[in-house]
Amino acid sequence: MRELARRIDSATPPDRDRAVDALRAVAILGVVLGHWLVTALVTDSGAIRVVSPLSSLPGLAPVSWVFQTLAVFFLVGGHVGARSHAAARARGETYRRWLGVRMARLFGPVATVSAVWAVAAGLMLAAGAGLPTVQALLRLVLSPLWFLVVLAVLTAATPLVARLHPLWPLAVVLHADLVRFGLGGPQEAGWINVAAGWLVPYCLGASWARRGLPGRTTGWALLASGTAATAGLVLCAGYPASMVGVPGAGISNLGPPTLAAVTFGLAQCGGAVLLLGPLRRALRRPVAWAGVALLNLSAMTVFLWHQTAMIAVTTTGLLADGPLPGLHTAPDGAGWVVARLAWLPVFAGALLVCWSAFRTNERKRARGGASRVVHEGRPTPSGAVRRA
């Protein structure tokens, strides 16, 4: 392991900003652990349905503050997209070629998970599983893909939005919420926030790529103002405390994103900026950097298959004599939380199996199409670490 870490470290370009990859890794782990903690599959009259512990345990809302890391994804996405597009232009590469490469990296692995679950759904129905059960499982696996669609749209718009000030999309979100909540307008007005809301951190990342690293003063300003605004919206304006959707709730901060979700994202971006220095120092150690680099190498595999891993463990557990605590039981108390935490290593083991089976698909997709298709901070078969 140490030898592998040493080789990855020595092959990394000295000007590579390892902290960017670390932020992406943190965001991925946040999404995975968040889904595993706030999503439960319970059996009900022979059917499986999806429930959330946040419905019966609202005191767990702070969990969503830790594990809802989407703003960090878009911050890094804007930074990487803007730098990649600028580098492509410098090489004389066309926009169409640049975009095709990035879309292949985003959606190539999606075809595999979609095909596997299409077959699995057919087999479950043929075996007698109820349609509601199959629909619930498919929704659980496929619903996170909305993130990739939004990221793809923003990536495609990079040449147009790379110089856009984040205050412009923030103003759109503010007015959309004012229309639907303050003036009693149509709730459909909020769907513009799906693009505008995540465009805020994306533009911050693009600005970072264009102007250089923001200082710690900027980081503290984003953290403090974002936190204060979010607290005010939750405590005084009636926005939900949970930063993820809660089944049965009248308002969701994510479906579509609200002003509170966006200001919370600004606080996260400020925290991410403040972490850059400590992360760079920590990642000077070859073992720490190797872990980050390897996770980034299989980022899409981890994202696409983590729900499948949880489902596999949960359905396998149905072979037991009765419902297993934290796995099949209703999330209605502290005992469920403790039991759920104990299942996380099992979910991780199942995800490792999925990773072993499908990681090569992600690498092949990412390398196909052009000789310049490379992974940021990732070891290639020749031993070099290439840049996008």
Side-chain angles (χ1 to χ4, degrees):
M1 178 63 187
R2 289 189 178 276
E3 177 60 23
L4 173 62
R6 187 196 64 78
R7 286 193 286 116
I8 294 174
D9 182 70
S10 62
T12 302
D15 60 342
R16 169 143 207 95
D17 193 346
R18 302 180 180 192
V20 174
D21 299 279
L23 289 178
R24 185 190 289 113
V26 168
I28 292 168
L29 293 177
V31 168
V32 170
L33 292 175
H35 281 161
W36 286 351
L37 287 171
V38 302
T39 305
L41 296 173
V42 300
T43 54
D44 184 10
S45 302
I48 295 177
R49 58 188 180 90
V50 181
V51 296
S52 171
L54 295 174
S55 298
S56 53
L57 300 170
L60 292 179
V63 172
S64 68
W65 306 345
V66 177
F67 295 112
Q68 202 279 72
T69 52
L70 290 173
V72 179
F73 263 123
F74 286 103
L75 176 72
V76 173
H79 174 73
V80 172
R83 290 193 64 184
S84 174
H85 181 253
R89 290 186 63 186
R91 294 192 300 264
E93 188 172 303
T94 66
Y95 167 78
R96 181 177 179 180
R97 183 179 180 83
W98 170 80
L99 184 62
V101 167
R102 300 202 75 82
M103 292 302 102
R105 291 170 62 173
L106 271 180
F107 291 106
V110 173
T112 301
V113 72
S114 300
V116 168
W117 269 96
V119 173
L123 292 175
M124 285 188 288
L125 291 172
L131 183 59
T133 294
V134 176
Q135 289 176 330
L137 297 181
L138 286 175
R139 190 178 303 112
L140 193 63
V141 172
L142 299 179
S143 59
L145 299 186
W146 71 264
F147 159 77
L148 298 181
V149 176
V150 176
L151 182 58
V153 171
L154 297 186
T155 299
T158 295
L160 298 177
V161 304
R163 295 182 178 275
L164 182 67
H165 196 286
L167 286 179
W168 288 108
L170 180 61
V172 172
V173 175
L174 171 63
H175 284 84
D177 274 20
L178 180 63
V179 167
R180 59 178 176 150
F181 298 139
L183 302 178
Q187 293 300 305
E188 289 76 10
W191 288 106
I192 194 174
N193 290 352
V194 175
W198 301 121
L199 188 56
V200 174
Y202 193 89
C203 287
L204 280 173
S207 176
W208 171 13
R210 188 175 70 255
R211 300 179 180 177
L213 174 68
R216 292 184 65 81
T217 300
T218 301
W220 281 115
L222 285 171
L223 178 61
S225 60
T227 300
T230 305
L233 291 169
V234 170
L235 296 175
C236 304
Y239 283 81
S242 173
M243 289 299 145
V244 298
V246 179
I251 301 174
S252 167
N253 274 322
L254 280 188
T258 63
L259 181 61
V262 176
T263 57
F264 176 76
L266 289 174
Q268 283 188 319
C269 291
V273 169
L274 295 174
L275 282 175
L276 288 173
L279 285 173
R280 290 193 184 102
R281 291 190 291 271
L283 293 173
R284 291 171 186 165
R285 296 193 294 269
V287 172
W289 167 238
V292 169
L294 291 174
L295 178 55
N296 274 271
L297 179 63
S298 301
M300 283 293 293
T301 301
V302 171
F303 177 78
L304 291 173
W305 292 96
H306 73 278
Q307 295 285 59
T308 299
M310 182 184 70
I311 291 171
V313 172
T314 304
T315 53
T316 302
L318 293 174
L319 300 176
D321 291 337
L324 298 176
L327 199 61
H328 307 123
T329 53
D332 54 5
W336 183 92
V337 176
V338 173
R340 188 62 161 197
L341 292 173
W343 281 107
L344 294 185
V346 185
F347 296 161
L351 180 56
L352 182 61
V353 173
C354 294
W355 173 83
S356 300
F358 298 105
R359 62 190 174 91
T360 55
N361 175 260
E362 178 175 357
R363 294 180 187 177
K364 290 176 182 177
R365 296 279 185 176
R367 288 196 296 267
S371 60
R372 294 193 183 103
V373 183
V374 292
H375 286 275
E376 296 189 23
R378 300 169 188 175
T380 66
S382 62
V385 178
R386 297 179 174 177
R387 302 182 60 140

